[in-house]
Amino acid sequence: MPHPKNNNIFLVGLMGAGKTTIGRLLARKLNRRFVDADHEIEARTGATIPWIFEIEGEACFRRREADVIRDLSAQQGLVLATGGGAVLNPVSRALLAERGTVIYLRASIGSILQRTAHDKNRPLLQTADPRGKLEQLWTERDPLYREIADLVIDTGRPNVQSMVQTILDQLAAQENARARKHARTAMNEQAHITLNVELGERSYPIEIGAGLLDDAALLARHIGGHKVAIVTNTTVAPLYLDKVAGHLRAAGRDVLEIILPDGEEHKNWQSLNLVYDALLQNKCDRKTTLVALGGGVIGDLTGFAASSYMRGVPFVQIPTTLLAQVDSSVGGKTGINHPLGKNMIGAFYQPRAVIADTATLDTLPARELSAGLAEVIKHGAILDADFFDWIEANIEPLIARDRQAIGYAIARSCEIKSDVVRKDEREGGLRAVLNFGHTFGHAIENGLGYGAWLHGEAVGCGMVMAADMSARLGLIEPAAVERVRALVRAAGLPAVAPDLGEARWIELMEVDKKNEGGEIRFILLKPLGSPSITTAPLDVLRSTLAACSA
């Protein structure tokens, strides 16, 4: 488990907090060398700590202690248990903070008294009032421990193994957070990012960056075959069709242009048949590559056409909306709507590549941008609490289409989704968590009529409802619900659901792909940043519907 700062771990805390006991076991677990600073002082002087205090005085001991801290902290791969007063020296504090991961082992006064009651090697406690002395030391030193601590661990539990495992878990979480921060910085510095969806022989790249549609070589590299059919809609075609088709024609491709009506209400059999008709009329064979140039509707519909035309032809996703770039273009879910349910007709069919040109978001209406942010929020809420925190802190730059913020949001969302897809491509279990907010959201879309609310708007409101249900089931605190609601609103999304009527709500949610055995399954939070797939009692569902609907 690599750590920065020379791979050192420094344990600080009052005497009797367990630094030596925990340090030895932690060092064994991490395969590192353990050193107790007090023992090192005794080895160097040939005298015990009580003798040094009695003969030389505390000031002399502190100088020796500072020398030991200076020397040992300069080494690498060390677990060091410091003396309780080591932090009194400002130079020692600075060295510990600079050269290692500092863990403050915090123990209650009662616990320390119990552990040190018969220990004569604690010169500061050889007093008529050891409790009063400990309280004085706590008041003096606790702020200094917290000043330099990377982690604070309470050591009140008697099980040392459990405490060490807690430390290991926290160190791992800290390392993951550092890795994500490094990745975020790297992503912000890069104009063009390439991620990969790892699915064996069906793996494919996700290209993310501004101006990718101007890169003729990149388009030609990822869009193979002599004949290419570009499927787009009446909104996107005037903006980008000529550019993409022109680059492909210049590369020697025979390009067929298929322009469909725009909108969720057209994600149906009629539009799908328009694609089939064009392919058959132009004698497209199995080596024809389909290109989805547009948002989620075009991507889903084109992917389904590719999966079924001549039993499967290659296709490439070129998403032009934020929602499609962060979610629907990745993972191979394709399909169309049915009057009785959203996305009920479709197939799992992976693209050959995803090319996400973030410059296309410059022409995206504000309402569509907000709809895409719903899926960004979803990824953080359900699988990455740190990412959720980042979204909260950066929602204004995201709304303002700041290139670095948008680029990182897309890349991190694609990382999260591709990792889930790698583990569960066909939604046998884990992948269902990506439907957080969708059970309520799909009911809203169908209940109001497809196209009345954008998909992302319905998902945003659905996440608020799912968070509300999570709290009613005791899975999260009410404060977490308010965080979700506030962020959904800040993204420009509706946080109050339409009143469809209780019976209609339930009827619509009973037609959902996640349901099993006739029961409605919900994707909930437990806690914020982690998912729970469960059912809910009818009275809880009714309470959520009543609380969250207008």
Side-chain angles (χ1 to χ4, degrees):
M1 184 191 305
H3 289 274
K5 305 179 181 180
N6 296 337
N7 280 340
N8 289 327
I9 294 176
F10 302 139
L11 305 179
V12 301
L14 286 174
M15 65 186 83
K19 298 187 295 292
T20 300
T21 303
I22 290 173
R24 283 199 179 102
L25 181 56
L26 183 62
R28 284 202 297 271
K29 294 283 189 179
L30 294 173
N31 195 28
R32 298 186 195 175
R33 186 164 64 95
F34 172 74
V35 178
D36 183 298
D38 284 351
H39 294 172
E40 179 68 14
I41 294 170
E42 290 179 331
R44 290 186 181 190
T45 61
T48 64
I49 301 299
W51 187 92
I52 297 172
F53 262 79
E54 182 179 352
I55 302 303
E56 297 184 346
E58 183 176 355
C60 182
F61 172 79
R62 295 300 173 201
R63 286 194 295 272
R64 293 183 183 277
E65 183 177 54
D67 290 342
V68 166
I69 295 295
R70 182 192 65 237
D71 296 344
L72 292 177
S73 65
Q75 298 181 24
Q76 296 189 18
L78 196 68
V79 175
L80 173 64
T82 65
V87 295
L88 296 173
N89 186 302
V91 174
S92 295
R93 283 203 308 278
L95 290 174
L96 291 171
E98 176 187 343
R99 295 176 172 178
T101 299
V102 180
I103 302 176
Y104 172 20
L105 299 183
R106 184 170 57 190
S108 67
I109 300 297
S111 297
I112 293 175
L113 283 172
Q114 187 176 21
R115 295 169 188 168
T116 60
H118 306 291
D119 189 347
K120 302 303 181 184
N121 290 317
R122 310 283 184 180
L124 292 179
L125 294 186
Q126 305 312 306
T127 174
D129 184 13
R131 175 178 286 276
K133 184 62 176 179
L134 276 173
E135 289 173 348
Q136 175 194 333
L137 293 174
W138 174 281
T139 301
E140 177 185 40
R141 297 177 183 180
D142 177 69
L144 302 179
Y145 297 141
R146 287 187 285 107
E147 174 189 318
I148 62 172
D150 296 295
L151 298 174
V152 178
I153 304 293
D154 288 307
T155 62
R157 290 170 293 172
N159 189 327
V160 175
Q161 293 276 357
S162 175
M163 284 187 284
V164 169
Q165 188 56 53
T166 297
I167 292 172
L168 293 172
D169 291 343
Q170 297 244 9
L171 289 172
Q174 191 180 68
E175 177 61 26
N176 289 337
R178 274 192 294 265
R180 285 194 293 271
K181 182 177 180 181
H182 174 76
R184 182 161 67 241
T185 301
M187 288 172 184
N188 286 342
E189 292 173 350
Q190 295 179 52
H192 181 180
I193 303 159
T194 301
L195 305 174
N196 284 289
V197 181
E198 300 294 345
L199 291 171
E201 63 182 13
R202 290 174 295 102
S203 299
Y204 55 93
I206 306 171
E207 307 282 1
I208 304 167
L212 298 189
L213 296 190
D214 296 318
D215 189 337
L218 181 140
L219 293 175
R221 183 167 70 251
H222 288 303
I223 302 173
H226 174 68
K227 180 167 281 191
V228 175
I230 302 175
V231 182
T232 187
N233 62 36
T234 51
T235 300
V236 176
L239 298 171
Y240 306 113
L241 179 56
D242 286 348
K243 178 185 292 186
V244 174
H247 286 321
L248 294 175
R249 288 187 175 111
R253 307 290 198 273
D254 180 6
V255 178
L256 168 65
E257 299 174 3
I258 304 173
I259 302 175
L260 302 177
D262 186 18
E264 184 78 29
E265 63 272 28
H266 297 292
K267 188 178 175 182
N268 53 29
W269 283 112
Q270 288 75 23
S271 296
L272 185 65
N273 274 322
L274 290 176
V275 177
Y276 292 145
D277 290 346
L279 295 175
L280 290 167
Q281 288 166 4
N282 286 273
K283 298 180 172 56
C284 294
D285 58 23
R286 286 179 172 170
K287 293 185 178 181
T288 301
T289 297
L290 269 61
V291 174
L293 177 63
V297 171
I298 287 294
D300 285 5
L301 192 148
T302 303
F304 188 35
S307 74
S308 50
Y309 183 72
M310 294 192 172
R311 297 191 173 91
V313 296
F315 89 108
V316 171
Q317 291 267 19
I318 303 183
T320 61
T321 66
L322 182 59
L323 187 145
Q325 291 182 1
V326 301
D327 187 69
S328 63
S329 66
V330 177
K333 276 190 176 182
T334 72
I336 58 174
N337 298 330
H338 186 278
L340 296 181
K342 183 177 172 67
N343 293 332
M344 298 303 290
I345 315 296
F348 290 98
Y349 194 69
Q350 301 296 340
R352 296 294 176 90
V354 177
I355 302 170
D357 185 341
T358 57
T360 61
L361 304 182
D362 293 343
T363 59
L364 195 65
R367 187 182 173 198
E368 289 276 3
L369 184 81
S370 292
L373 288 174
E375 298 288 359
V376 175
I377 294 168
K378 175 195 77 176
H379 287 124
I382 206 66
L383 286 169
D384 189 343
D386 288 341
F387 186 39
F388 188 88
D389 294 344
W390 180 88
I391 301 165
E392 285 182 312
N394 289 273
I395 191 63
E396 290 185 8
L398 289 169
I399 289 290
R401 307 176 199 235
D402 177 83
R403 280 284 173 83
Q404 288 192 344
I406 287 286
Y408 175 68
I410 294 170
R412 182 64 191 136
S413 294
C414 288
E415 281 184 328
I416 292 170
K417 182 161 186 181
S418 61
D419 185 56
V420 172
V421 171
R422 175 181 61 83
K423 296 173 182 175
D424 180 19
E425 181 185 0
R426 301 179 69 83
E427 204 168 298
L430 173 65
R431 187 169 178 176
V433 305
L434 295 174
N435 288 294
F436 174 60
H438 286 58
T439 301
F440 292 106
H442 286 171
I444 292 171
E445 288 184 88
N446 198 347
L448 292 179
Y450 294 121
W453 279 28
L454 297 176
H455 175 64
E457 292 173 330
V459 168
C461 187
M463 289 190 292
V464 175
M465 300 178 79
D468 178 272
M469 178 177 281
S470 301
R472 293 179 189 278
L473 292 174
L475 304 179
I476 59 173
E477 297 297 323
V481 183
E482 292 311 311
R483 287 181 67 190
V484 173
R485 181 179 284 111
L487 187 53
V488 165
R489 283 176 173 157
L493 296 163
V496 177
D499 184 6
L500 303 177
E502 181 183 293
R504 181 61 172 153
W505 270 108
I506 294 173
E507 177 189 10
L508 291 168
M509 288 189 288
E510 286 176 339
V511 185
D512 188 279
K513 299 184 297 298
K514 299 182 298 300
N515 295 346
E516 290 182 0
E519 290 188 304
I520 303 172
R521 291 202 307 163
F522 295 94
I523 312 302
L524 304 179
L525 302 175
K526 184 187 179 183
L528 185 61
S530 298
S532 174
I533 305 176
T534 186
T535 57
L538 185 58
D539 63 322
V540 173
L541 173 57
R542 285 171 170 162
S543 296
T544 290
L545 293 174
C548 297
S549 301

